[in-house]
Amino acid sequence: PYVGAGVYVNPQWRTQAMAEPGGSRIANQPTGVWLDRISAIAGNDSPTTGSMGLADHLDEAVQQDAANGTTPMVIQIVIYNLPGRDCAALASNGELGPTELGRYQTEYIDPIAEIMSRSAYANLRIVTIIEIDSLPNLITNVSGRAGETALCNTMLQNGNYVNGVGYAVARLGAISNVYNYIDAAHHGWIGWDDNFGPTAQLLFQASNANGGSASNVHGFITNTANYSALTEPFI
């Protein structure tokens, strides 16, 4: 979806950047729109989301697309609200309890899918970044690993990370102009001899779970909330 395309610049991000010394240097950089709780879909005035909801951002992307001539427009949406979210880190845990898969599906993913499927947005290329810091935790932060946590063990046992990702892949992937990218952690986390293969198998399992299909996965994303050198001989 990125080939030959422009990428959406969040106007709220741009305003905040421009207000800082030197911020003009980065104010026009594309960033992801984070839907990190149910209320963010409509806009909840949070520091990370601001007053614009998903439809507001898509409307703005349509305007940026119109001003972009014949160049297609990508908008990046971070899907980030699994039950028991980020089981290895209290600082980034979410609003839904570990058993609330039903709420995740009906109150979070279904409304997002309804908005994205509206005809007004059919010409956009909508990239969905599916649930960062979830599936990789089921490899490195469960029983037998140094980073084991009780919640990660729970999420491995109850299957709600796998089924939540599968449901998101199914519902969002059914929209023809949505491109799903599943999170694959970051450069220093997954890729060792003891976790690369198991992670690949888990990503495939989740892609096909709960109505999902690997054919609805466009690719993978790393370093969503991290960054590293672009040229490094050991990465």
Side-chain angles (χ1 to χ4, degrees):
Y2 292 93
V3 174
V7 185
Y8 174 69
V9 175
N10 181 343
Q12 294 186 318
W13 148 256
R14 186 179 189 281
T15 298
Q16 291 178 1
M18 289 293 289
E20 300 297 330
S24 60
R25 300 179 186 180
I26 59 170
N28 290 312
Q29 287 296 315
T31 56
V33 174
W34 287 60
L35 301 181
D36 57 358
R37 57 188 55 243
I38 292 167
S39 61
I41 299 170
N44 58 7
D45 290 317
S46 74
T48 54
T49 308
S51 60
M52 296 175 69
L54 175 59
D56 298 316
H57 283 290
L58 291 169
D59 288 341
E60 173 66 21
V62 169
Q63 293 184 37
Q64 292 186 21
D65 187 28
N68 214 21
T70 59
T71 302
M73 176 62 62
V74 168
I75 179 170
Q76 304 169 118
I77 309 295
V78 181
I79 306 299
Y80 185 47
N81 199 31
L82 274 178
R85 190 183 76 192
D86 206 348
C87 58
L90 181 63
S92 52
N93 65 357
E95 66 180 341
L96 299 179
T99 64
E100 294 189 282
L101 178 63
R103 287 192 65 199
Y104 175 78
Q105 295 178 163
T106 61
E107 297 181 38
Y108 181 69
I109 293 298
D110 287 354
I112 290 172
E114 186 280 319
I115 293 170
M116 289 182 176
S117 65
R118 294 175 184 173
S119 59
Y121 311 132
N123 289 331
L124 297 174
R125 299 178 181 182
I126 303 173
V127 167
T128 51
I129 297 164
I130 305 292
E131 295 296 352
I132 66 171
D133 295 342
S134 59
L135 297 175
N137 278 325
L138 301 186
I139 300 297
T140 59
N141 295 94
V142 293
S143 180
R145 297 284 186 158
E148 175 185 358
T149 71
L151 183 55
C152 286
N153 284 331
T154 295
M155 302 318 299
L156 177 63
Q157 292 160 7
N158 70 19
N160 283 347
Y161 276 8
V162 168
N163 286 313
V165 168
Y167 190 81
V169 164
R171 290 286 282 120
L172 302 177
I175 305 166
S176 62
N177 59 315
V178 169
Y179 302 82
N180 289 320
Y181 286 75
I182 295 182
D183 176 68
H186 65 73
H187 70 277
W189 182 353
I190 297 299
W192 305 97
D193 291 343
D194 65 345
N195 62 31
F196 183 78
T199 298
Q201 292 170 0
L202 183 62
L203 294 172
F204 183 74
Q205 176 191 352
S207 299
N208 290 285
N210 203 11
S213 169
S215 64
N216 285 332
V217 176
H218 195 80
F220 305 95
I221 186 163
T222 61
N223 294 329
T224 302
N226 298 277
Y227 50 88
S228 71
L230 293 179
T231 302
E232 219 294 337
F234 298 106
I235 294 181

